[in-house]
């Protein structure tokens, strides 16, 4: 029997792709076509910052679809899962890394191993490196959520707690030299996506109950994130309070906004 394709995820990925294109076009416009410091420049930059939700959205959707597929099996074949992930993500990643390094004359500032780990052969390859990390972490996450079976609130608390721990731990240890190129800095949307994949039939009820809070989180986090961006553009001293705390929360605010936006767009894509 043929399983009917759910167009929700195609629509959501299409929105995210459009966001990526628009985000980069606005970034180029701010650098090349608008005079820095003018009102028009600030507007373009702020629109660029608003369109910063693509990576968490793609990760949430990927995690959701993986969990939804695996949940159909009582005992998932993890070797087959990892082999497929490596073929579908690892192979193109290695091919494109090799091509970009060849263009650069095999000049790697970080060394080949670090370049592969952090996706630094070219600036946008970090996303494939993150996807590979998610693939390695996903079996543990899936088994944990399936065994624990938390409700939506407990899952959010757990995801926020783990993500907060990673942020704080890395702040004091600097164990991740390029945190934006690590799946550990995107655990929140990955966990949310995995939970949705395991509980897809409950998504409508969750949205009805949580929609107002999700929208509140999206708007509130975006407002504080944009405030931090304006202050950074204004060269405000990052060591002064309350700016110090705001800047420290900057990545968490972006991730909260992006994840809430992904959930909102997921619901939009269903209608």
């Amino acid at each position: 029997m043929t399983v009917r394709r759910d167009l929700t995820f195609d629509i959501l990925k299409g929105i995210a792709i459009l966001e990526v294109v628009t985000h980069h076009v606005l970034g180029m416009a701010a650098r090349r076509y608008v005079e820095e410091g003018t009102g028009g420049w600030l507007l373009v930059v702020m629109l660029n910052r608003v369109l910063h939700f693509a990576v968490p959205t793609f990760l949430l959707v990927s995690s959701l679809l993986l969990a939804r597929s695996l949940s159909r099996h009582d005992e998932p074949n993890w070797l087959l899962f990892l082999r497929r992930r490596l073929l579908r993500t690892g192979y193109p990643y290695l091919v494109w890394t090799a091509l970009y390094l060849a263009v650069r004359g095999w000049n790697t500032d970080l060394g080949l191993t670090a370049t592969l780990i952090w996706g630094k052969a070219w600036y946008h390859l970090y996303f494939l490196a993150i996807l590979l990390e998610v693939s390695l972490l996903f079996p543990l996450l899936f088994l944990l959520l399936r065994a624990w079976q938390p409700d939506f609130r407990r899952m959010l608390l757990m995801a926020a707690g783990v993500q907060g721990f990673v942020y704080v731990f890395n702040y004091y240890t600097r164990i991740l030299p390029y945190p934006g190129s690590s799946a550990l800095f995107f655990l929140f949307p990955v966990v949310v996506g995995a939970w949705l994949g395991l509980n897809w039939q409950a998504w409508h009820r969750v949205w009805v109950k949580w929609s107002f809070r999700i929208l509140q989180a999206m708007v509130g986090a975006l407002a504080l994130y944009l405030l931090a961006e304006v202050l950074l553009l204004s060269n405000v001293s990052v060591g002064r309070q309350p700016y110090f705390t705001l800047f420290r929360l900057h990545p968490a605010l972006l991730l909260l906004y992006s994840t809430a936006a992904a959930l909102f767009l997921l619901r939009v894509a269903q209608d």
Side-chain angles (χ1 to χ4, degrees):
M1 183 178 68
T2 303
V3 179
R4 184 179 178 183
R5 187 180 182 90
D6 191 337
L7 295 180
T8 296
F9 307 106
D10 292 325
I11 294 170
L12 181 55
K13 286 186 283 187
I15 293 172
I17 291 169
L18 181 62
E19 184 269 359
V20 171
V21 174
T22 308
H23 169 76
H24 286 292
V25 168
L26 289 170
M28 182 179 293
R31 292 190 299 271
R32 298 186 181 182
Y33 304 115
V34 187
E35 183 179 351
E36 185 174 345
T38 63
W41 173 81
L42 182 60
L43 176 62
V44 171
V45 171
M46 289 298 100
L47 288 174
N48 172 269
R49 300 301 189 266
V50 170
L51 297 175
H52 245 160
F53 56 80
V55 169
T57 298
F58 279 124
L59 291 175
L60 185 147
V61 173
S62 297
S63 182
L64 191 161
L65 291 174
L66 286 176
R68 192 181 179 198
S69 175
L70 290 168
S71 66
R72 300 189 182 105
H73 306 282
D74 293 332
E75 296 291 338
N77 187 331
W78 294 114
L79 287 178
L80 178 61
F81 167 82
L82 291 173
R83 185 161 62 246
R84 286 178 174 175
R85 294 300 98 206
L86 289 173
L87 285 174
R88 295 176 183 179
T89 306
Y91 178 69
Y93 175 60
L94 291 176
V95 168
W96 282 106
T97 295
L99 288 173
Y100 280 121
L101 288 178
V103 169
R104 295 171 54 181
W106 297 96
N107 179 25
T108 60
D109 299 330
L110 303 176
L112 183 58
T113 300
T115 297
L116 286 171
I117 291 174
W118 303 110
K120 295 299 183 181
W122 207 260
Y123 73 95
H124 56 267
L125 288 179
Y126 78 97
F127 182 68
L128 289 178
I130 290 174
L131 280 180
L132 284 171
E133 287 186 45
V134 170
S135 298
L136 295 175
L137 293 171
F138 200 80
L140 178 61
L141 173 60
F142 178 86
L143 292 173
L144 173 65
L145 289 175
R146 177 182 260 188
W148 182 26
Q149 297 184 351
D151 58 19
F152 189 70
R153 182 181 67 85
R154 288 190 176 90
M155 178 275 297
L156 289 179
L157 291 174
M158 183 270 286
V162 172
Q163 188 69 85
F165 172 79
V166 171
Y167 282 163
V168 173
F169 184 77
N170 192 66
Y171 176 75
Y172 286 105
T173 65
R174 305 296 182 187
I175 195 171
L176 300 174
Y178 304 100
S181 298
S182 171
L184 295 178
F185 256 56
F186 295 94
L187 283 176
F188 189 67
V190 171
V191 173
V192 173
W195 186 92
L196 287 173
L198 283 164
N199 300 273
W200 182 240
Q201 298 303 320
W203 165 235
H204 178 72
R205 297 193 304 274
V206 168
W207 176 256
V208 170
K209 181 178 180 179
W210 286 82
S211 58
F212 183 68
R213 297 177 194 177
I214 291 171
L215 294 175
Q216 276 184 317
M218 182 177 73
V219 174
L222 175 61
L224 290 173
Y225 167 66
L226 291 181
L227 174 61
E229 286 290 327
V230 170
L231 292 172
L232 285 170
L233 292 171
S234 303
N235 295 317
V236 171
S237 174
V238 299
R240 294 167 51 196
Q241 289 289 7
Y243 309 126
F244 179 80
T245 300
L246 181 61
F247 294 142
R248 295 284 72 78
L249 292 174
H250 184 267
L253 291 169
L254 175 58
L255 197 63
L256 177 59
Y257 156 64
S258 301
T259 305
L263 292 174
F264 169 67
L265 292 172
L266 177 62
R267 187 70 190 100
V268 170
Q270 285 185 297
D271 292 334

